[in-house]
Amino acid sequence: MQIIRSVPEMQALAEALRAQGQLIGLVPTMGALHDGHLTLIRAAAERADAVVVTIFVNPAQFAPSEDFNKYPRELENDVAKCEAAGADYVFAPPNEEIYPKGYSTYITEEHVAKPLEGVSRPSHFRGVTTVVAKLFNICRPDLAVFGQKDAQQVAVIRKMVADLNFTVDIVVAPTLREPDGLAMSSRNRYLSATQRVEALAIHRALYKARDMVAAGEIRSDRLVAEATHILSQQRRIRVIYVSLVNRSTMEPAREVIPGETVMAIAAWMDEVRLIDNIVL
Ligand code: AMP
């Protein structure tokens, strides 16, 4: 497996792979890889001839108050995991390669990105769409794999791909969870043992909604009230939102349409911001 650090080198490689008729699969990540990321790499390897994993902690998607500086960085470890999961190339550019001095062009999706995460993290998706568009231009993928764990990110990327006529197939991999239900996340390592136990309430709230829907409840207000009640029983959890939305538009859903409606939760577990969701 090869590690690439520069944009021109990655572009030349992508060009050469395409000239050989190889299908390129891209898996964008910020590193600190866990098994959830590895599922994405395997999904790419099943569908593409050449799998490129990008490892880049994108400063543009962090607000100044957020955890950019303390975000875990462990490239050597990550590279070994990528190789074991079936990646062919790791593209891990330094910051100046992606945002050279004087960089000034950004992409904003202006509808799907607005609610939920967009309210509490107003510049987050602008950073995501900008870096993903750049990675598409640099790595020239035929397909790119994203995790359902970030449901709104998937919806925003799909909208950007449609609006900007990118010819990249977006593949979505299901959320991988710890055995106790906690959604895997690079940020889980910030949690103490006690915080981690309380954080399981997020998973309980989502699965309670799923069970209520299975029992015939489709009213959004009742599902949200029950999930909020479950979360409110934890002393350290502060709810940011509990919402039922359409999975493509992120617009509020008054009633569940099976397979179309997502319950999305964001909450502070003390100082750690966690998100999770379930397709109902
Ligand atoms: P990140 O490195 O956190 O930016 O995540 C990179 C990709 O991995 C994104 O497409 C995420 O949605 C996806 N991802 C993160 N956590 C999980 C998980 N638990 N299961 C599946 N995919 C995930």
Side-chain angles (χ1 to χ4, degrees), residues 11-31:
Q11 281 179 312
L13 169 68
E15 209 53 58
L17 291 170
R18 292 181 78 86
Q20 294 162 16
Q22 296 207 34
L23 275 186
I24 302 177
L26 181 73
V27 182
T29 81
M30 298 203 299

Side-chain angles (χ1 to χ4, degrees), residues 209-229:
R210 189 194 61 177
D211 291 347
M212 286 172 73
V213 170
E217 180 59 81
I218 57 163
R219 275 185 50 181
S220 183
D221 52 352
R222 294 199 182 134
L223 294 163
V224 168
E226 181 59 27
T228 308
H229 172 69

Side-chain angles (χ1 to χ4, degrees), residues 28-31 34 36-37 40 61 71 145-150 153 173-177 183-186:
T29 81
M30 298 203 299
H34 50 66
H37 295 114
L40 270 56
Q61 70 191 66
Y71 199 84
V145 189
F146 294 87
Q148 176 62 27
K149 160 80 170 30
D150 297 279
Q153 172 169 279
T175 302
L176 205 72
R177 298 178 180 280
M184 288 189 186
S185 163
S186 307

Side-chain angles (χ1 to χ4, degrees), residues 91-151:
F91 177 49
N95 205 9
E96 322 78 73
E97 279 291 303
I98 301 296
Y99 301 112
K101 200 163 179 295
Y103 186 88
S104 61
T105 302
Y106 293 87
I107 290 177
T108 48
E109 191 289 323
E110 302 195 350
H111 184 71
V112 183
K114 282 268 157 61
L116 306 178
E117 292 297 284
V119 175
S120 46
R121 307 183 72 193
S123 59
H124 172 69
F125 286 120
R126 170 184 186 261
V128 170
T129 41
T130 300
V131 83
V132 170
K134 285 174 66 73
L135 292 173
F136 285 176
N137 284 331
I138 296 165
C139 305
R140 308 273 317 276
D142 297 281
L143 62 94
V145 189
F146 294 87
Q148 176 62 27
K149 160 80 170 30
D150 297 279

